[in-house]
Amino acid sequence: RISTMGIGCIIRQIIEECRLEHFTPHDLRRTFATTLFDIGADQLAVKELMGHTSLNTTAIYDRRGEKKKIDAIKLLPF
């Protein structure tokens, strides 16, 4: 297992090596959820993987923005 302190050290190393202005462990959670949505994962599955009790909480992590609307329209058969 990795400790909270260990995660902090890894994050600091990533920030330094990539010269990022802002990056947190929570950014990894947002990326995880959005990537799952991008590849077509079911919202309920993402909710479970994120450990959320509410779909409303999971929806907050969806960073696809306008892309999800465009992709949905493309699914129409006309």
Side-chain angles (χ1 to χ4, degrees):
R1 299 187 85 177
I2 188 166
S3 68
T4 304
M5 189 178 284
I7 291 171
C9 288
I10 293 167
I11 296 297
R12 281 189 294 281
Q13 185 178 1
I14 290 169
I15 290 170
E16 288 175 16
E17 288 179 12
C18 297
R19 297 184 180 132
L20 300 173
E21 289 183 28
H22 178 75
F23 184 82
T24 68
H26 213 79
D27 292 325
L28 297 173
R29 285 182 60 81
R30 282 192 277 288
T31 300
F32 176 71
T34 299
T35 301
L36 287 170
F37 286 129
D38 275 341
I39 61 174
D42 178 73
Q43 192 175 21
L44 289 173
V46 177
K47 177 183 91 64
E48 293 295 320
L49 289 167
M50 296 290 290
H52 295 153
T53 56
S54 167
L55 283 173
N56 291 332
T57 303
T58 304
I60 294 168
Y61 285 79
D62 186 354
R63 301 294 183 162
R64 292 175 297 168
E66 291 296 310
K67 182 183 181 311
K68 70 180 172 184
K69 296 177 191 174
I70 293 167
D71 291 345
I73 292 295
K74 288 178 182 178
L75 294 173
L76 292 171
F78 50 85

